[in-house]
Amino acid sequence: SNQLMGFAEGALALGGLVGGIAVSIRPQLFSIQKAPRYLLGATLGFIPITVIMAVPVDALIAYAVILVSFSWTMAMCSVFSIVGISYLQMQTPKDLIGKVIALTMSAANCALPLGQLVFGLGFDYVPVPMLAGCVIVAMSGITVVARRTFKKTFTLNAPDQTPKI
């Protein structure tokens, strides 16, 4: 129903706000070196969705689990985004900040329709638990690659050269 869709959108917004508030309250806890952990946190948010969609439960229970999971996932994505953009701003020469941030945001905005297309096709042809499982596998792969990349990048630089946000 429209009301339940409104609650879902509100839960996503709440998750984004919680992530942003967490970073602003305790910025010393969130550094770019930990960014792969936030991706892992977002990945873990899909596990309850996969499980709840695979077992026969009441629709409202499944809905509640999905809302909580999406809120958590959105909070982790918000933290990742804030940490990443802040790091870019600190590392980019002042005369290029606008261009670098614009390019970064443009790339993210261009990826969004592609993701929606893939999910739209997935919902048409793949059972939802399997689709959620595929998301977990894809996000896990991205997390592993990010962890290796970040580890390599930040071990080449002195630890004091990578500022905390």
Side-chain angles (χ1 to χ4, degrees):
S1 68
N2 288 337
Q3 292 86 1
L4 293 179
M5 184 62 186
F7 281 121
E9 290 176 3
L12 287 169
L14 179 63
L17 287 172
V18 167
I21 290 169
V23 174
S24 67
I25 289 175
R26 302 293 293 254
Q28 67 277 11
L29 297 178
F30 302 95
S31 68
I32 192 67
Q33 294 92 337
K34 295 179 184 174
R37 293 180 190 176
Y38 315 135
L39 291 175
L40 177 62
T43 302
L44 296 176
F46 277 88
I47 293 173
I49 295 169
T50 303
V51 171
I52 203 71
M53 296 305 290
V55 297
V57 296
D58 182 67
L60 284 178
I61 292 172
Y63 175 76
V65 169
I66 290 170
L67 282 188
V68 171
S69 296
F70 278 168
S71 295
W72 168 261
T73 300
M74 190 63 186
M76 292 290 99
C77 290
S78 179
V79 168
F80 181 81
S81 177
I82 291 167
V83 168
I85 292 293
S86 298
Y87 180 77
L88 277 176
Q89 288 176 334
M90 289 186 283
Q91 297 300 311
T92 303
K94 292 190 185 313
D95 58 326
L96 296 177
I97 288 177
K99 293 175 184 174
V100 169
I101 298 302
L103 181 62
T104 303
M105 298 305 286
S106 295
N109 286 336
C110 288
L112 188 62
L114 179 62
Q116 290 176 328
L117 175 68
V118 170
F119 258 93
L121 292 171
F123 278 118
D124 286 343
Y125 299 108
V126 180
V128 173
M130 188 182 296
L131 183 61
C134 290
V135 169
I136 292 170
V137 169
M139 288 178 69
S140 295
I142 292 167
T143 301
V144 167
V145 169
R147 185 174 185 277
R148 288 180 182 163
T149 303
F150 279 50
K151 187 175 182 176
K152 185 188 304 182
T153 300
F154 293 115
T155 54
L156 294 176
N157 299 323
D160 60 346
Q161 291 178 343
T162 44
K164 289 192 176 181
I165 298 170

